[in-house]
Amino acid sequence: MARQKKWYVVWTGRKPGIYNSWSECEKQVKGFPNASFRSFTSEEDAKKAFQGKLTSKKATQHIGPEDSYIEDSISVDVGSRGNPGFVEYKGVDTKTGSIIFSHPGVEMGTNNMGEFLAIVHALSYLKQKNSNKPVYSDSATAIKWVRDKKANSSLKRTKETEEIWNLVERAEDWLKNNKWDNPLLKWDTKRWGEIKADYGRKG
């Protein structure tokens, strides 16, 4: 009986990606600290899992240790005053907290629009670096918008909101005209505390 074909997803290893043989997967994870990987019986499931789109617990439980997150990643978050209101965002190295990029902000926007822009900024940055690092956001809504390549915001377009809408449209165009394989992962605030890019303005 022929052995069933498998695809191997490496989330954390020497070179994250999808591999079609154990020997190639092993090269990426053997001896690598806190390596995170899993096998799948279909290439489609492997692709979905790598991008964080496979939602069943069985498929995603090996993205990282249950009580941990992938340190070799970018975390993004928004700082705001009012919602809608002033919005700024930044992306940081999840392991060190050091700022990788930041946007000084716009006077009128929503948290989800800011989160959307931050994720797209991270994807653009990582594409320039030819990196498959994951991107963490604590906004499930913004993650969905990025996957849909459309920010489905109810914020009315006015003279006051024109700046944020212009930025959002540029981000949507980037998503439609570029390919990326980085996993988009939801930050688990309950288990891990505030996301590493948090501005510390809650409460």
Side-chain angles (χ1 to χ4, degrees):
M1 187 174 177
R3 178 181 291 182
Q4 187 176 28
K5 172 70 177 173
K6 288 186 178 181
W7 285 261
Y8 298 85
V9 175
V10 176
W11 288 279
T12 307
R14 292 176 180 84
K15 187 178 180 182
I18 300 172
Y19 298 88
N20 58 17
S21 73
W22 166 243
S23 61
E24 288 301 311
C25 174
E26 188 178 32
K27 291 177 184 177
Q28 311 308 320
V29 301
K30 190 173 182 179
F32 193 91
N34 299 313
S36 178
F37 59 97
R38 183 179 173 85
S39 65
F40 294 86
T41 55
S42 83
E43 186 175 16
E44 182 181 0
D45 280 354
K47 288 179 178 178
K48 287 180 179 178
F50 183 67
Q51 293 183 351
K53 296 179 182 178
L54 211 56
T55 56
S56 74
K57 185 176 181 181
K58 182 178 179 182
T60 59
Q61 63 185 348
H62 292 287
I63 285 179
E66 189 171 340
D67 60 347
S68 188
Y69 48 83
I70 301 171
E71 289 188 335
D72 190 20
S73 60
I74 289 180
S75 293
V76 302
D77 201 16
V78 162
S80 60
R81 291 191 288 273
N83 189 28
F86 175 81
V87 175
E88 62 184 321
Y89 69 77
K90 64 183 174 182
V92 307
D93 182 297
T94 304
K95 183 176 182 179
T96 66
S98 59
I99 296 174
I100 297 172
F101 60 81
S102 63
H103 189 282
V106 297
E107 289 303 316
M108 185 58 65
T110 68
N111 286 348
N112 282 329
M113 293 171 92
E115 295 274 8
F116 173 79
L117 293 172
I119 296 171
V120 178
H121 194 142
L123 292 174
S124 175
Y125 170 85
L126 290 168
K127 184 177 178 66
Q128 291 175 11
K129 299 292 184 182
N130 195 29
S131 170
N132 286 331
K133 282 185 181 182
V135 177
Y136 278 104
S137 169
D138 59 11
S139 172
T141 297
I143 291 173
K144 183 180 187 304
W145 288 356
V146 172
R147 290 176 181 157
D148 293 343
K149 302 179 182 180
K150 182 71 176 177
N152 190 26
S153 176
S154 60
L155 184 70
K156 290 184 178 179
R157 191 161 192 159
T158 65
K159 184 177 180 180
E160 201 175 14
T161 64
E162 184 70 18
E163 184 178 3
I164 190 93
W165 273 114
N166 284 338
L167 291 172
V168 164
E169 286 179 346
R170 283 174 53 193
E172 289 173 343
D173 286 343
W174 188 91
L175 290 171
K176 291 170 185 173
N177 292 300
N178 289 273
K179 290 184 178 181
W180 47 273
D181 295 319
N182 309 77
L184 298 183
L185 304 176
K186 174 70 168 63
W187 183 264
D188 192 335
T189 305
K190 187 175 180 180
R191 284 194 301 184
W192 305 329
E194 295 296 343
I195 195 166
K196 300 301 182 181
D198 182 61
Y199 281 81
R201 296 176 184 167
K202 298 178 179 68

